[in-house]
């Protein structure tokens, strides 16, 4: 029985996991670095332990975290996302020390974390993959040969990549030559492996991914898809469930592919299978994320299933207890990643003190945040400070609710992506529900909001002040 969990993470996801523990009567143990001593997850957890100085090192120290889990009497460890969540060594060491790792086995993490091995497994299972190289590339010459065969444009990708890094589109042999050394060295630095491979670049694709849950007794279900096409530099900004761009037939096909993918690799716990949907309606497997995802909230809102609690039940050895036909969905949910970044200044991180924070409310509004009034966002970590998730029965209603919630929320003292999202919601293209991964790059004018908006807001404020002064 899992009674006490060490949460090897920080920020909003650590808070999210504490909340699940609270509801289940499980003791939540937080860890924090010096920079995080005033963080919300530390305040919310039942116990909290310092794991070292400022910087990320503490959250990446496998042995220290597992030792702490053992020493504090935890029986499980939740890795969240990012940091060590896809590190097979952590899963292995947990197993060796008698701590249940809340995620799949080390073997599955290793296999699916290697994008070329994952592709091979999918090809064997009869799931379409993006046309590309057979395994890793040996050399630039090898890359040129493969690219000539599959045709430009191509995507050069780090085999162990993640978080939108280590990916470059190459439109010509010249670009491939220029990018090869760069992506290889980037891959070594960021992921500790120089392995790269090639895929055909799908032009203007939609990013569609499917949430799966698998217990330790061979039962696998999917919880429908999320549309994560609104991205900047291969990083997601807005996620939507279900996708407004799929018909029922395609929805079913993609869901079946995802469940089959999880099944053939012996997947356990929660995971996500990512696909690209091309203009011609073809779908291709892209990669699998062997962890909880940032955007799991939208799936929770449409299905009513608490994914984090399910993860803990599964890790506890329990049966899923839900058959595929019992998974239902209702309405639309949309999540906005509110990052402390200045959209007007190339999304430069904007750290510092949150002088005032007001969380929005009302029907169908959910926030998963890590900030509070007076909190200082440290410069060492992710710029994600709040996830705003809205739900409504219909697509037009979820758009209106999103606009309302984005005008309701207040984050002051740091710059955020909120005004950018407000602007995006006014465009016909976004509202039509038909967009692809090029949307953000294709609409630089949305970044021009502030002068226009601010002038409007200023004139409204001046008019109000004058009216007040005159006693209206
Ligand atoms: P999701 O797939 O859940 O949408 P992201 O790709 O945005 O998640 O990644 C979530 C967080 O984890 C981000 O902060 C990202 O920087 C980090 N991350 C994801 N993959 C890796 C990785 N392989 N190495 C380091 N950080 C990663
Ligand atoms: P990561 O592990 O960093 O999440 P992914 O392989 O999931 O990397 O790709 C991230 C994003 O890059 C996708 O969501 C998509 O927008 C883009 N992308 C990846 N592969 C392709 C491709 N073959 N063609 C077009 N876009 C792609
Ligand atoms: Mg991905």
């Amino acid at each position: 029985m899992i009674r006490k969990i060490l949460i090897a993470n920080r920020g909003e996801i650590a808070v999210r996991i504490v909340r699940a523990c609270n509801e289940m009567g499980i003791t939540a143990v937080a860890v924090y670095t010096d920079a995080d001593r005033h963080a919300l997850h530390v305040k919310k957890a039942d116990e909290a332990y310092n794991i070292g100085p400022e910087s990320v090192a503490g959250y990446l120290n496998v042995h220290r975290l597992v030792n702490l889990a053992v020493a504090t009497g935890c029986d499980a460890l939740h890795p969240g996302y990012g940091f060590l969540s896809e590190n097979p060594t952590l899963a292995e060491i947990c197993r060796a020390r008698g701590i249940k790792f809340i995620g799949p086995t080390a073997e599955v993490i290793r296999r699916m974390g290697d994008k070329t091995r994952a592709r091979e497994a999918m090809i064997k299972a009869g799931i379409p993959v993006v046309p590309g190289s057979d395994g890793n590339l040996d050399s630039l010459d090898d890359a040129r040969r493969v690219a000539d065969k599959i045709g430009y444009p191509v995507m050069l990708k780090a085999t162990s990549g993640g978080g939108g890094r280590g990916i470059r589109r190459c439109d010509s042999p010249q670009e491939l030559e220029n990018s090869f050394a760069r992506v290889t060295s980037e891959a070594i630095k960021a992921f500790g492996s120089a392995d790269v491979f090639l895929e055909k670049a799908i032009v203007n694709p939609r990013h569609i991914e499917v949430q799966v849950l698998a217990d330790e007794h061979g039962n696998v279900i999917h919880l429908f898809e999320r549309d994560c096409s609104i991205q900047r530099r291969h990083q997601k900004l807005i996620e939507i469930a279900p996708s407004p761009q799929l018909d029922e037939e395609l929805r079913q096909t993609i869901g079946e592919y995802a469940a089959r993918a999880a099944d053939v690799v012996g997947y356990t716990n929660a995971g996500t299978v990512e696909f690209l949907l091309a203009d011609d309606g073809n779908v291709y497997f892209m990669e699998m994320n062997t962890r909880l995802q940032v955007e799991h909230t939208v799936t929770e809102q449409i299905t009513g299933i608490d994914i984090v609690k399910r993860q803990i039940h599964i890790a506890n050895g329990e049966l899923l207890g839900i058959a595929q036909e019992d998974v239902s969905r209702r309405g639309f949910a949309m999540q906005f990643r509110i990052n402390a970044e200045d959209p007007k200044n190339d999304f430069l991180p904007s750290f510092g003190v949150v002088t005032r924070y007001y969380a929005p409310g009302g029907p169908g509004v959910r926030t998963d945040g890590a900030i509070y009034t007076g909190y200082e966002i440290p410069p060492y970590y992710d710029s994600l400070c709040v996830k705003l998730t809205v739900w409504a029965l219909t697509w037009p209603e979820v758009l209106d609710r999103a606009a309302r919630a984005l005008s309701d929320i207040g984050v002051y003292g740091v710059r955020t992506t909120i005004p950018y999202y407000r602007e995006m919601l006014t465009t016909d293209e976004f509202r039509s529900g038909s967009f692809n991964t090029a949307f953000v790059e294709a609409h630089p004018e949305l970044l021009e909001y502030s002068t226009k908006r601010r002038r409007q807001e200023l004139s409204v404020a001046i008019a109000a002040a004058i009216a007040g002064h005159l006693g209206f």
Side-chain angles (χ1 to χ4, degrees), residues 115 130-131 154-155 157-158 160-167 169 191 197 199-208 228-229 231 233-236 274-276 286-289 291 293 437:
K115 292 185 181 184
V130 185
V154 293
M155 296 295 256
K157 289 183 160 187
S160 320
R165 288 172 305 156
I167 301 179
R169 178 177 152 143
F191 312 111
F197 70 106
E199 266 178 19
K200 184 158 185 64
I202 307 296
V203 179
N204 297 335
R206 283 93 182 145
H207 173 119
I208 310 286
C228 311
S229 303
Q231 311 179 340
R233 299 196 176 154
H234 310 306
Q235 286 173 341
K236 300 159 189 167
E274 297 189 333
F275 299 89
L276 289 175
M286 185 166 51
E287 66 153 345
M288 180 162 195
N289 293 322
R291 56 173 164 89
Q293 272 186 287
T437 58

Side-chain angles (χ1 to χ4, degrees), residues 293-335:
Q293 272 186 287
V294 178
E295 58 273 23
H296 73 278
T297 64
V298 289
T299 303
E300 293 186 325
Q301 295 313 114
I302 62 159
T303 61
I305 292 174
D306 185 318
I307 294 170
V308 180
K309 279 162 73 175
R310 286 283 158 187
Q311 287 194 289
I312 298 170
H313 285 299
I314 291 170
N316 214 11
E318 295 169 40
L319 286 164
L320 259 187
I322 323 167
Q324 188 63 61
E325 54 276 20
D326 296 332
V327 181
S328 61
R329 66 190 163 84
R330 197 158 176 257
F332 286 91
M334 199 178 276
Q335 178 188 269

